[in-house]
Amino acid sequence: MYPYNRNTQLYHSRAKETQAEKPSLLAQDKRLEELLFLARTEATETARKFETLLDRAELSEAGQILRTMYLDGKKHLRLLQEVGFLIFGTTPQENEACETEEATEATDTCALLEELLLAEMDDISFYRALLFAMTEADLRNAFFEILTDKQNHAVALSHLYAKYFG
């Protein structure tokens, strides 16, 4: 039986107080801020590499797979910016994450595909560690989504590598 005569306002205000305290603890963590900056930089670089692979003629049959991974990379960047806003209350500058400009055009397709595969595999352990470090469910959900996408990318990239260069 529901206790209709209880004052539930007290419980809601306590829950809101504890929710307000948790992000402030995360906001004080400078290492987390550096890791999120690194994650945004890597997401930008990965999306740029997928965009480069989209233009390669030898992978024209895999265009839809590569386009999906490119769009996932853009989604990851947006999720990381949202997480940064939820924790620190500020939105990073758009050009802040684009500091590393690499010439991905010069590398051959096989090397670029292999590099992306290894990077995605490294990102899986990186995002798994960030997932377990988060205390808020909303933050964990964002990292869980990124993590599962990274796992799917690793599978798809290994398939493409075996199909075209194996």
Side-chain angles (χ1 to χ4, degrees):
M1 175 175 228
Y2 183 76
Y4 291 103
N5 58 354
R6 279 200 184 157
N7 182 7
T8 57
Q9 187 70 10
L10 176 66
Y11 301 114
H12 292 297
S13 65
R14 285 186 186 163
K16 287 181 183 178
E17 287 173 8
T18 57
Q19 285 179 349
E21 291 172 5
K22 288 182 183 177
S24 66
L25 292 175
L26 290 175
Q28 296 171 0
D29 190 359
K30 292 298 178 189
R31 187 170 188 314
L32 178 63
E33 187 175 8
E34 293 171 2
L35 289 175
L36 285 176
F37 174 76
L38 177 66
R40 284 191 310 268
T41 305
E42 289 293 322
T44 303
E45 185 178 325
T46 301
R48 187 174 35 247
K49 288 178 182 178
F50 279 126
E51 189 175 24
T52 302
L53 280 179
L54 276 170
D55 297 335
R56 302 293 169 101
E58 23 325 0
L59 298 176
S60 62
E61 293 176 6
Q64 188 61 33
I65 295 171
L66 292 170
R67 179 166 303 289
T68 302
M69 288 189 275
Y70 168 73
L71 294 175
D72 283 345
K74 292 293 189 181
K75 178 183 70 172
H76 298 163
L77 184 59
R78 183 185 50 79
L79 283 172
L80 289 168
Q81 289 172 340
E82 288 178 10
V83 165
F85 179 77
L86 288 173
I87 293 174
F88 303 107
T90 59
T91 307
Q93 299 297 325
E94 195 66 35
N95 58 1
E96 178 182 286
C98 297
E99 287 181 358
T100 59
E101 187 69 33
E102 290 185 8
T104 56
E105 303 292 331
T107 60
D108 66 332
T109 305
C110 179
L112 185 57
L113 197 62
E114 183 180 1
E115 182 181 332
L116 271 171
L117 174 61
L118 294 174
E120 293 289 320
M121 292 170 66
D122 287 340
D123 286 348
I124 290 170
S125 60
F126 176 76
Y127 284 107
R128 185 178 295 133
L130 278 177
L131 172 71
F132 291 136
M134 292 299 125
T135 56
E136 291 293 315
D138 293 342
L139 301 176
R140 280 194 306 268
N141 290 342
F143 286 114
F144 182 77
E145 185 174 351
I146 294 172
L147 176 64
T148 55
D149 286 344
K150 293 289 185 181
Q151 291 171 337
N152 292 335
H153 293 178
V155 170
L157 286 169
S158 63
H159 167 73
L160 292 176
Y161 188 80
K163 180 178 179 180
Y164 291 103
F165 304 106

